[in-house]
């Protein structure tokens, strides 16, 4: 765990780390299966809510990403599919604020979409946290940078950026273990009757059946489900200082910051410009809005 706010005691740091839902040593009453696909723009748009949920209520749950494989035949159908996908991506970006550059389907279409999913499972062989970070990086590459994430050199660059063991990743990318892990995810998708992504299935440690929520919803709906599953109304944890948040996540969108801190886009931009002047972050313009790269740890 690399997130360490300055000042608090060790116990307070552990509690703060647990808020993010990434401190897997703690036993938590809920487990949330999040069914996603690396090429799904609505799954990408779920990111701000997952961050906020993890910060405010992450002490109560762990997140388990499941790759659904529902987009593996993306550009093999009609000849006009790329234009349809471009329209869908950009409509999603305009609606959610999470930039998706649909020009990729015209300029640099994904050759073999299923390879990205195998790569995520290969990354997970180095740990759940490594897998989550790799999935995020793959999403950044495809939605923001228009990179073909089915190409080996792009996937290796993603692995490098997320500090994976590159040799191990290269071996795992073509391993039976990664393929079997993906097959397990696909089997789970079918067994749980997941027909739409993103889908979140909430499990309580005391109950066998989960509660399924398909699609994108307002943040309050996700909170309501957690409270119903817990059968109590917990107080949301205190949000970290903005710099600590940026330090932990390293690269985040204006929309993500806005959602987490309950700020307007205008206020978010204002606060980030202050940090930009202090050379704590660098602004990265994208087709819809902007992202911010944390810089201080590189100095």
């Amino acid at each position: 765990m690399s997130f360490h706010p300055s000042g608090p005691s060790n116990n307070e740091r552990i509690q703060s780390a647990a808020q993010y839902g990434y401190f897997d040593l703690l036993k938590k009453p809920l487990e949330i299966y999040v069914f996603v696909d690396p090429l799904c723009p609505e799954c990408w748009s779920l990111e701000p809510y997952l961050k906020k949920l993890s910060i405010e209520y992450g002490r109560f749950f762990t997140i388990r990403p499941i790759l659904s494989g529902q987009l593996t035949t993306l550009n093999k159908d009609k000849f006009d599919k790329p234009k349809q996908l471009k329209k869908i991506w950009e409509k999603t970006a305009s609606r959610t604020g999470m930039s998706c550059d649909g020009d990729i389907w015209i300029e640099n279409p994904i050759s073999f979409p299923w390879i990205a999913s195998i790569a995520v499972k290969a990354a997970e062989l180095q740990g759940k946290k490594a897998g989550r970070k790799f999935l995020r990086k793959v999403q950044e590459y495809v939605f923001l940078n228009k990179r073909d994430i089915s190409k080996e050199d792009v996937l290796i660059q993603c692995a490098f950026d997320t500090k994976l063991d590159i040799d191990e990743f290269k071996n795992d990318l073509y391993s039976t273990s990664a393929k079997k892990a993906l097959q397990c995810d696909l089997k789970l998708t079918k067994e749980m009757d997941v027909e739409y992504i993103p889908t979140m299935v909430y499990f309580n440690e005391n109950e066998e059946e989960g509660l399924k929520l398909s699609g994108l919803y307002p943040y309050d709906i996700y909170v309501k489900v957690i409270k119903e599953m817990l059968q109590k109304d917990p107080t949301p944890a205190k949000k970290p200082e903005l710099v600590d948040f940026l330090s932990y996540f390293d690269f985040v969108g204006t929309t993500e910051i806005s959602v987490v801190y309950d700020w307007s886009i205008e206020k978010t931009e204002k606060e980030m410009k202050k940090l930009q002047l202090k050379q704590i972050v660098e602004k990265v313009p994208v087709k819809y809005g902007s992202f911010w790269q944390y810089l201080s740890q590189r100095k």
Side-chain angles (χ1 to χ4, degrees):
M1 169 54 63
S2 59
F3 176 74
H4 292 301
S6 60
S9 66
N10 189 51
N11 286 338
E12 288 173 325
R13 287 177 176 176
I14 291 175
Q15 184 179 7
S16 180
Q19 294 173 8
Y20 286 85
Y22 294 103
F23 202 88
D24 296 332
L25 295 178
L26 298 179
K27 178 64 176 176
K28 302 175 186 179
L30 302 181
E31 186 171 23
I32 304 176
Y33 288 25
V34 184
F35 290 83
V36 297
D37 189 289
L39 294 173
C40 170
E42 289 203 346
C43 296
W44 172 238
S45 301
L46 186 62
E47 283 285 290
Y49 298 142
L50 291 179
K51 282 183 171 60
K52 189 173 184 179
L53 275 177
S54 294
I55 289 171
E56 294 191 335
Y57 299 99
R59 62 197 187 274
F60 298 110
F61 65 82
T62 55
I63 287 179
R64 181 179 171 186
I66 307 293
L67 299 183
S68 73
Q70 293 196 11
L71 302 183
T72 54
T73 57
L74 269 175
N75 54 346
K76 295 181 180 180
D77 299 325
K78 302 175 182 178
F79 68 93
D80 61 341
K81 196 71 171 181
K83 292 182 180 179
Q84 293 177 15
L85 288 167
K86 171 181 165 64
K87 184 177 180 180
I88 291 169
W89 278 34
E90 305 209 340
K91 184 178 180 180
T92 302
S94 298
R95 176 169 53 88
T96 67
M98 287 293 282
S99 187
C100 309
D101 194 337
D103 288 338
I104 185 175
W105 296 107
I106 308 299
E107 301 171 5
N108 190 28
I110 311 300
S111 305
F112 305 100
W114 54 271
I115 291 180
S117 293
I118 291 181
V120 173
K121 304 314 290 185
E124 283 184 1
L125 294 175
Q126 297 188 36
K128 291 181 180 180
K129 182 179 178 181
R132 285 191 293 261
K133 291 179 69 176
F134 181 82
L135 173 58
R136 166 72 184 207
K137 188 58 63 175
V138 164
Q139 290 173 312
E140 292 171 5
Y141 267 53
V142 68
F143 292 119
L144 306 180
N145 302 330
K146 297 186 292 185
R147 301 291 298 276
D148 182 351
I149 55 172
S150 68
K151 292 185 175 179
E152 181 178 329
D153 61 327
V154 176
L155 293 171
I156 290 173
Q157 185 61 49
C158 288
F160 179 82
D161 289 347
T162 49
K163 298 180 172 58
L164 297 184
D165 182 311
I166 302 300
D167 290 334
E168 186 177 339
F169 175 76
K170 288 180 180 178
N171 291 331
D172 289 336
L173 187 57
Y174 300 101
S175 70
T176 302
S177 298
K179 293 176 182 177
K180 283 185 176 179
L182 179 58
Q183 287 301 318
C184 286
D185 279 14
L186 299 179
K187 182 180 178 182
L188 194 59
T189 301
K190 185 176 181 180
E191 288 176 349
M192 292 192 180
D193 296 321
V194 173
E195 299 178 347
Y196 185 88
I197 51 174
T199 286
M200 296 170 69
V201 183
Y202 298 73
F203 288 97
N204 189 308
E205 61 182 351
N206 299 319
E207 299 176 9
E208 290 187 5
E209 292 190 4
L211 193 157
K212 185 191 300 182
L213 197 62
S214 298
L216 277 177
Y217 290 86
Y219 179 72
D220 290 346
I221 299 298
Y222 299 114
V223 173
K224 183 178 180 180
V225 173
I226 288 176
K227 291 179 178 180
E228 287 181 358
M229 295 292 287
L230 292 172
Q231 295 186 339
K232 60 181 179 180
D233 188 7
T235 301
K238 183 180 178 181
K239 295 180 178 66
E241 294 295 326
L242 179 57
V243 172
D244 291 328
F245 172 82
L246 297 167
S247 171
Y248 182 83
F249 287 108
D250 191 54
F251 184 76
V252 293
T254 299
T255 294
E256 292 180 286
I257 300 167
S258 172
V259 168
V260 168
Y261 287 91
D262 300 305
W263 293 342
S264 65
I265 293 296
E266 291 73 21
K267 177 174 173 57
T268 302
E269 288 279 356
K270 183 178 180 180
E271 294 299 321
M272 294 307 296
K273 285 177 181 177
K274 293 177 185 177
L275 298 182
Q276 186 179 20
L277 290 173
K278 296 178 181 178
Q279 297 185 318
I280 294 174
V281 297
E282 178 183 6
K283 187 174 184 177
V284 181
V286 290
K287 188 167 186 178
Y288 295 89
S290 55
F291 275 68
W292 303 87
Q293 178 69 60
Y294 180 70
L295 297 176
S296 288
Q297 77 278 24
R298 294 180 172 83
K299 295 183 179 181

